[in-house]
Amino acid sequence: MDSPLYIKSEIGKLKTVLLHRPGKEVENLTPDYLADLLFDDIPYLEVAQKEHDAFAKVLEDNGTEVLYVDKLAAEALKDPEVQSKFIYDILRNSKQGDRNVTKTLYSYLQSMKTIDMVHTIMAGVRKDELNVGYDGAKRLHEMLGDTYPFYLDPMPNLYFTRDPAAVIGTGLSINKMHFPARRRESLFIKYIIEHHPRFAGVNVPIWYSRDSKFSIEGGDQLVLSKDTVAIGISQRTSAEAIETIAEKLLTDGGFSQIVAIEIPKSRAFMHLDTVFTMVDYDKFTVHPAIQDNNGKMNIFILTRNFTSGGLHIARRSNLTETLCEVLGKNKITLIPCGGGDPIASAREQWNDGSNTLAIAPGVVVTYDRNYVSNALMHKHGLEVIEVTGAELVRGRGGPRCMSMPMVREDI
């Protein structure tokens, strides 16, 4: 395990993880722009930070090295030329084009200390922070009454580090995010991998590029074993993206099968890991509503077609049977979110009761508020470490969403 990236399971002891502590970007949320920025409510930042710090401490207390996006990004951008290109890429991906304000924004960001520049890009730049007029006078577009408050949009979803990229094997999927509000996030990962001394020069395989045509997000990417990756076909991950990454993983990644699992395309069921996570060698959490009344769903096993050189796709419909097949198990236990009760399961799934983070086989981190699901996992022999997420959950994400594992031990 010499690589700085090594993930060949969902449950191996978590050795290194990437987090982002919520910052001022959360305080730039307002009711008028919640939907565009993919939030349903506004977290109270001070409390959210305390909750996040407690989450990070749980990981550290259990032997996990915790890295932070802002610190790694600042260290990766020390070279002035790299920093200049990063700012340019951020502005280009912020729909700036060649607007008059773009040069002012570029100069404004470049004048800062690197860590301050990183934090400012994350927080967004408000119009009242910059004078882009002529010797103090307003520009015409300002005088026309445009009330949108930002020149550079905030990035409040950054604390969900799971989605912009995913470590798979010894390589990385740098993801094309589905919604424009999140597409800039993967630029931080791209520059960290390419320019941070911890990763630069290691020749990390890139399984998927953020510049690809089709969207895919880390919440839909689960490494079930050294042979098998599960990927959700969801609101945010397309079937075309799965076929594209499957070609790379099956050819160069050392994996023998990709399991594509279709889930309802809705805000509540945003990613596969909001309805399905692996918690032990033979145990999974699941939200029962992803299956039909007969317990069926659309599942596809993708393997290499050695005759044609392309993909062979086999259809399945039973989740338990498919998991037994691809993992070589005689029995798989699905632990229903909320105990399967229609009210409790819907409530706790909305509050990320199925979004568990395994930090070792049979040891999971969950939100304490999902007491029905937590009690059931405990009953199934799991060690459940509860953290408070009263404010963090307002962004619609749990412990798995808030963590990007970089290194796990083999199981």
Side-chain angles (χ1 to χ4, degrees):
M1 198 192 303
D2 297 327
S3 172
L5 302 176
Y6 189 90
I7 300 292
K8 294 201 174 180
S9 78
E10 283 291 307
I11 61 172
K13 184 173 176 56
L14 185 58
K15 301 298 294 180
T16 304
V17 69
L18 183 65
L19 305 182
H20 173 68
R21 187 176 191 256
K24 290 184 178 179
E25 64 275 1
V26 172
E27 291 199 322
N28 275 334
L29 286 165
T30 65
D32 288 343
Y33 308 110
L34 283 178
D36 289 343
L37 295 172
L38 310 180
F39 270 70
D40 299 302
D41 202 352
I42 302 172
Y44 176 21
L45 179 59
E46 182 179 346
V47 176
Q49 288 178 329
K50 289 178 181 177
E51 292 173 352
H52 196 274
D53 291 343
F55 170 58
K57 188 174 188 306
V58 162
L59 300 180
E60 291 173 334
D61 288 348
N62 282 274
T64 301
E65 176 191 22
V66 175
L67 306 176
Y68 288 93
V69 175
D70 57 347
K71 186 173 185 296
L72 291 186
E75 292 167 350
L77 299 173
K78 284 186 176 179
D79 182 282
E81 288 188 14
V82 174
Q83 184 178 136
S84 177
K85 187 174 186 306
F86 174 75
I87 296 172
Y88 172 79
D89 280 346
I90 284 287
L91 295 179
R92 181 172 59 87
N93 283 270
S94 300
K95 301 169 289 186
Q96 287 296 326
D98 293 318
R99 298 170 59 206
N100 290 326
V101 70
T102 305
K103 291 182 179 179
T104 306
L105 270 172
Y106 179 88
S107 299
Y108 177 64
L109 293 168
Q110 198 174 42
S111 69
M112 299 176 180
K113 292 180 180 179
T114 306
I115 189 65
D116 294 334
M117 177 267 292
V118 168
H119 287 157
T120 299
I121 286 172
M122 291 174 169
V125 178
R126 292 167 44 163
K127 288 181 177 177
D128 58 14
E129 291 179 57
L130 275 184
N131 176 14
V132 296
Y134 303 95
D135 298 324
K138 288 186 176 182
R139 294 260 188 189
L140 178 59
H141 73 270
E142 296 177 282
M143 300 175 72
L144 291 174
D146 181 3
T147 59
Y148 189 69
F150 300 106
Y151 282 131
L152 192 65
D153 287 348
M155 303 167 72
N157 295 279
L158 267 172
Y159 71 90
F160 301 122
T161 53
R162 177 70 60 164
D163 298 323
V167 179
I168 304 174
T170 58
L172 194 66
S173 171
I174 303 180
N175 294 329
K176 166 73 174 289
M177 309 291 275
H178 179 70
F179 289 106
R182 298 199 67 182
R183 287 191 188 147
R184 293 169 296 163
E185 294 177 34
S186 56
L187 275 171
F188 288 102
I189 306 300
K190 179 179 186 292
Y191 274 81
I192 287 168
I193 292 299
E194 291 181 354
H195 300 287
H196 193 281
R198 182 170 180 141
F199 307 102
V202 180
N203 193 26
V204 173
I206 303 300
W207 309 130
Y208 201 83
S209 167
R210 66 180 306 278
D211 298 319
S212 299
K213 181 177 181 180
F214 306 108
S215 67
I216 190 169
E217 300 195 359
D220 284 311
Q221 298 167 304
L222 284 70
V223 183
L224 301 185
S225 73
K226 62 182 178 61
D227 302 310
T228 307
V229 177
I231 306 179
I233 309 169
S234 71
Q235 181 194 49
R236 303 189 183 190
T237 294
S238 70
E240 294 90 344
I242 294 173
E243 290 180 342
T244 301
I245 194 171
E247 292 271 10
K248 293 284 288 183
L249 292 174
L250 296 173
T251 303
D252 303 319
F255 293 91
S256 59
Q257 52 196 349
I258 309 301
V259 182
I261 303 173
E262 185 179 25
I263 64 172
K265 296 175 175 62
S266 72
R267 169 70 170 155
F269 295 2
M270 184 184 317
H271 294 121
L272 182 61
D273 71 0
T274 64
V275 291
F276 173 80
T277 51
M278 189 173 187
V279 293
D280 206 346
Y281 295 99
D282 56 357
K283 297 183 181 73
F284 295 79
T285 63
V286 66
H287 182 42
I290 64 173
Q291 301 166 309
D292 68 19
N293 292 333
N294 297 312
K296 304 297 185 182
M297 57 192 305
N298 285 327
I299 304 170
F300 306 88
I301 300 177
L302 285 67
T303 55
R304 287 185 66 187
N305 187 324
F306 290 96
T307 302
S308 68
L311 295 173
H312 177 267
I313 303 175
R315 189 167 195 154
R316 301 288 186 271
S317 61
N318 185 287
L319 181 58
T320 303
E321 292 175 1
T322 304
L323 291 172
C324 285
E325 177 185 349
V326 299
L327 296 177
K329 302 289 184 183
N330 293 322
K331 180 183 178 183
I332 290 290
T333 299
L334 298 181
I335 304 172
C337 178
D341 177 89
I343 299 297
S345 62
R347 180 188 71 243
E348 294 204 354
Q349 188 277 326
W350 180 255
N351 290 321
D352 293 288
S354 291
N355 192 252
T356 55
L357 172 66
I359 59 173
V363 183
V364 297
V365 182
T366 69
Y367 282 149
D368 57 2
R369 65 189 298 149
N370 297 311
Y371 56 88
V372 178
S373 300
N374 292 346
L376 192 56
M377 283 190 279
H378 182 73
K379 186 177 179 180
H380 278 84
L382 301 175
E383 180 183 345
V384 180
I385 303 172
E386 297 182 343
V387 296
T388 301
E391 294 302 317
L392 292 171
V393 78
R394 295 179 190 272
R396 301 272 67 81
R400 190 180 191 276
C401 287
M402 294 189 298
S403 55
M404 177 187 162
M406 303 185 90
V407 177
R408 286 187 185 270
E409 290 182 357
D410 280 324
I411 55 173

